[in-house]
Amino acid sequence: MTENYKKIKQIYEGKAKKLYTLKGHKDLLLQEFKDDATAFNALKKGKILNKGIINCELTTFLFTYLRKKGVRNHFVKQVSANEMIIDRLKIVPIEVVVRNIAAGSLLKKTNFKEGHQLAKPIVEFYYKDDSLGDPMISDSHALAMKIATEKDLKTLKQMAENINTILKPFFLKRGLKLVDFKLEFGKDKTGRIMLGDEITPDTCRLWDKKTNKKLDKDRFRFDLGGVNEAYAEVRKRILGK
Ligand code: UDP
């Protein structure tokens, strides 16, 4: 029997997604992906052609793949081109960034040049707070703010490293270097930490394996041109369409 999911109320609108409650499913939400793109804490705004559809399809594919590899996540089912049903999580207000190659804000914290292959992946925590501009924090900041326990932080780090170990070869087989990416996690009703949010070219840096051409949101951030084409290219390499 096909489940019927009827949207009741929008409970959140972020920069790239909206969340709705569902009739008769209090532990689920509907996540809608938008074409809207923002950068630099929403100072720069625009739209990317078919981004909502591409990001919904990619997240569906990658979360299904990660689940098969044993990574707990919130994905339940794709229900339209740009909408999916997800488990309702209590979001941990920490963005977890994993880096394999130096790029972006790491260049301001270290002397690494862009493209430097890191000797070991770096995992960083950022406090999810737009009014503060999502600052980087250490474990002790997180503990002092009581936004996570020591055990939670260990789980976040282990899950992020494991996801990196799974996704790096996955992308490389499709001609893409996974330079860095951002993950978000939440707790389900039993208190277990699960991967949430999305994994898309909005949240990952992906470079062509041979040419290092950027195929992600950096094309939008830095007006590099070919933004729509880059998203379409990633879709083609991962989903074959
Ligand atoms: N990222 C993200 N959302 C954010 C900040 C970063 O998805 O609010 C992703 C970004 O796309 C990149 C990685 O996290 O793949 C590392 O980003 P970085 O810290 O270099 O910051 P940025 O250069 O994006 O400001």
Side-chain angles (χ1 to χ4, degrees), residues 95 97 99 103-105 126 180-182 202-205 221:
E95 298 190 344
V97 167
R99 305 176 181 277
S105 69
Y126 291 83
D180 57 32
F181 58 101
K182 183 260 311 182
D202 275 10
T203 61
C204 302
R205 287 196 168 91
R221 288 190 187 103

Side-chain angles (χ1 to χ4, degrees), residues 11 19 21 25 51 66 126 136-137 146 153 155 170 179 226:
I11 52 163
L19 290 177
T21 52
H25 298 278
K51 180 168 85 75
L66 286 170
Y126 291 83
M136 189 163 95
I137 56 168
K146 295 191 173 163
L153 295 176
T155 305
F170 172 91
V179 173

Side-chain angles (χ1 to χ4, degrees), residues 152 186-193:
D152 292 339
K187 290 185 180 174
D188 68 5
K189 62 179 175 182
T190 70
R192 271 201 322 182
I193 293 192

Side-chain angles (χ1 to χ4, degrees), residues 102-152:
S105 69
L106 185 66
L107 307 178
K108 295 179 202 147
K109 295 176 190 126
T110 62
N111 288 319
F112 293 134
K113 297 268 180 300
E114 186 180 64
H116 176 83
Q117 177 72 50
L118 301 172
K120 192 177 178 294
I122 294 175
V123 180
E124 297 169 341
F125 294 145
Y126 291 83
Y127 179 37
K128 237 173 105 67
D129 185 319
D130 282 338
S131 68
L132 297 174
D134 295 346
M136 189 163 95
I137 56 168
S138 68
D139 289 31
S140 18
H141 293 93
L143 296 173
M145 290 190 283
K146 295 191 173 163
I147 54 175
T149 63
E150 264 190 268
K151 188 163 161 250
D152 292 339

Side-chain angles (χ1 to χ4, degrees), residues 214-232:
K214 296 182 164 81
L215 293 169
D216 55 57
K217 204 168 108 178
D218 272 353
R219 303 208 76 80
F220 169 79
R221 288 190 187 103
F222 302 111
D223 296 318
L224 302 178
V227 183
N228 301 339
E229 293 77 5
Y231 278 70

